[in-house]
């Protein structure tokens, strides 16, 4: 029994020390912080669906096309999946083409577990699995197959943050009137949305003792791997355009102007300038709730191929 006393004493000592400071050399006492990485939605074909080496055609041979997704963002409903194939030189008059399958997805691309500090992404969701069979007489010799999948959906981005201003005589206020608000300072959905807020550059200039002129330069970033399909300022349907009606609001503050109201994402980024000409500082608090909201259509496309086609006689 006495031989165990030094071990027990050592464990008690280590626990006491770890309560005061972090001890990286004791791995069994280290508690890893759970984090979730990944952004937006990832679309991909299933394993060997379609086959990557060759497609066999003839004698009843068929193959499977399966499309899967990892959803790191919020729940998505009303998504539509389009499938189509391309074989140069084919006719496919009696074969069923991939484009013949209904595009609606049953159910939603969900995020099953949601929490304030941690979220578990919905990974490897099967969106569609179909069997495909070609007739050999409709396939040209030495032909190759290309398979395409496109997922379209509407995303409602809703983020919350805080806006802080500081009077000159307030020494106990931690914020600065000139600072950059990062994505991590916004609500959790901002980290995982396909199109998110990359940063907000804030400049608050005092007009008088209790009033500020606030300029917010908001950088928007497409991090989802797909493209926005919005409407341009002339009403033309155009890729990469984002409509920003009622983009930024603060409860109780009505005089906020954001320009432009429609932005083009150039190299996946755009900057919106929001101005609050007369922000009256609250007598009891310097912090204001900041709400950002925009809805956008989004689409992602993937391709498998070219895949050699081998006829079976």
């Amino acid at each position: 029994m006495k031989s165990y006393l030094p071990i027990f004493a050592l464990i008690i000592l280590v626990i006491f020390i770890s309560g005061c400071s972090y001890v990286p050399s004791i791995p069994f006492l280290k508690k890893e912080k759970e984090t979730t990485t990944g952004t937006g939605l990832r679309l991909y074909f299933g394993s060997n669906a379609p086959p990557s080496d060759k497609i066999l055609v003839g004698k009843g041979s068929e193959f499977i096309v399966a499309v899967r997704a990892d959803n790191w963002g919020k729940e998505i409903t009303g998504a539509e999946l389009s499938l189509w194939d391309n074989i140069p030189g084919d006719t496919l008059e009696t074969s069923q083409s991939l484009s013949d399958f209904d595009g609606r997805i049953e159910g939603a691309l969900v995020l099953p577990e949601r929490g304030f500090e941690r979220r578990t992404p919905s990974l490897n969701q099967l969106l569609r699995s179909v069997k495909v069979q070609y007739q050999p007489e409709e396939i040209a010799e030495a032909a190759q197959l290309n398979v395409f999948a496109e997922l379209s959906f509407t995303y409602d981005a809703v983020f919350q943050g805080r806006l802080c201003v500081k009077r000159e005589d307030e020494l106990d206020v931690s914020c600065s009137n000139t600072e950059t608000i990062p994505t991590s300072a916004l609500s959790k959905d901002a980290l995982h949305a396909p199109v998110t807020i990359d940063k907000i550059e804030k400049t608050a200039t005092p007009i008088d003792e209790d009033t500020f002129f606030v300029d917010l330069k908001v950088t928007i970033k497409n991090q989802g791997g797909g493209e926005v399909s919005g409407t341009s300022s002339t009403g033309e349907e155009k890729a990469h355009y984002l409509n920003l009606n009622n983009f930024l609001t603060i409860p109780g503050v009505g005089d906020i102007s954001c320009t432009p109201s429609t932005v083009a994402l150039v190299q996946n980024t755009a900057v919106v300038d929001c101005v609050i000409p007369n922000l009256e500082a609250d007598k009891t608090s310097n912090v204001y709730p900041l709400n950002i909201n925009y809805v956008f259509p989004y689409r992602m496309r993937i391709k498998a191929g070219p895949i050699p086609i081998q006829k079976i006689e």
Side-chain angles (χ1 to χ4, degrees):
M1 180 67 181
K2 291 183 178 180
S3 61
Y4 292 102
L5 291 178
I7 298 176
F8 290 150
L10 177 61
I11 292 175
I12 292 173
L13 178 61
V14 168
I15 292 175
F16 174 77
I17 294 173
S18 64
C20 301
S21 61
Y22 173 59
V23 186
S25 60
I26 314 295
F28 65 88
L29 290 177
K30 181 181 178 181
K31 184 178 180 181
E32 294 288 346
K33 182 180 178 181
E34 293 186 73
T35 58
T36 299
T37 59
T39 55
L41 192 74
R42 186 171 75 94
L43 193 67
Y44 54 97
F45 290 106
S47 177
N48 204 41
S52 58
D53 55 347
K54 61 184 175 181
I55 300 293
L56 298 178
V57 174
K59 295 186 178 181
S61 295
E62 59 186 16
F63 63 96
I64 295 176
V65 174
V67 181
R68 295 182 174 272
D70 296 342
N71 184 17
W72 298 91
K74 64 193 298 183
E75 179 175 306
I76 296 172
T77 58
E80 184 168 334
L81 180 68
S82 301
L83 297 173
W84 68 96
D85 42 14
N86 173 262
I87 307 174
D90 68 347
T91 57
L92 297 185
E93 293 177 354
T94 59
S95 298
Q96 187 175 32
S97 174
L98 283 174
S99 58
D100 293 333
F101 292 93
D102 182 25
R104 300 302 299 178
I105 296 176
E106 296 181 2
L109 283 70
V110 299
L111 191 66
E113 297 181 20
R114 299 174 66 90
F116 182 75
E117 293 297 333
R118 178 179 179 274
R119 60 171 67 234
T120 300
S122 181
L123 304 181
N124 203 27
Q125 292 185 78
L126 179 63
L127 305 186
R128 179 65 47 79
S129 179
V130 298
K131 291 183 178 179
V132 185
Q133 185 181 86
Y134 297 135
Q135 303 302 322
E137 62 271 15
E138 299 174 343
I139 305 298
E141 293 298 329
Q144 292 182 314
L145 168 68
N146 295 292
V147 177
F148 299 88
E150 183 176 277
L151 184 69
S152 301
F153 56 90
T154 298
Y155 199 95
D156 186 5
V158 181
F159 311 140
Q160 291 82 37
R162 299 193 310 166
L163 176 65
C164 178
V165 293
K166 181 179 180 180
R167 298 178 180 88
E168 292 183 0
D169 59 345
E170 292 176 317
L171 302 178
D172 58 341
V173 177
S174 59
C175 73
S176 170
N177 283 335
T178 302
E179 62 181 350
T180 298
I181 304 171
T183 308
S184 57
L186 303 177
S187 51
K188 297 294 181 179
D189 278 335
L191 296 173
H192 305 284
V195 178
T196 190
I197 303 302
D198 186 49
K199 62 182 178 180
I200 302 175
E201 297 172 279
K202 181 197 75 177
T203 302
T205 305
I207 299 175
D208 54 39
E209 182 178 355
D210 296 318
T211 310
F212 291 81
F213 178 91
V214 181
D215 182 68
L216 303 173
K217 286 185 170 52
V218 185
T219 300
I220 301 173
K221 181 180 179 180
N222 178 8
Q223 62 179 6
E227 67 177 15
V228 178
S229 178
T231 306
S232 69
S233 56
T234 59
E236 177 187 3
E237 289 292 333
K238 207 166 184 179
H240 312 301
Y241 271 84
L242 191 64
N243 298 320
L244 303 173
N245 296 320
N246 298 318
F247 171 63
L248 187 148
T249 59
I250 298 174
V253 179
D255 192 6
I256 302 177
S257 174
C258 295
T259 55
S261 59
T262 301
V263 295
L265 294 168
V266 179
Q267 295 182 344
N268 289 321
T269 61
V271 176
V272 181
D273 191 17
C274 294
V275 172
I276 311 171
N278 292 282
L279 180 65
E280 295 185 4
D282 193 283
K283 298 295 184 182
T284 58
S285 174
N286 297 69
V287 180
Y288 304 84
L290 188 68
N291 300 319
I292 296 176
N293 178 224
Y294 49 99
V295 180
F296 55 91
Y298 202 74
R299 61 178 174 231
M300 309 181 70
R301 180 181 295 184
I302 56 174
K303 173 191 174 184
I307 309 169
I309 297 177
Q310 179 179 330
K311 293 185 180 183
I312 304 175
E313 300 298 337

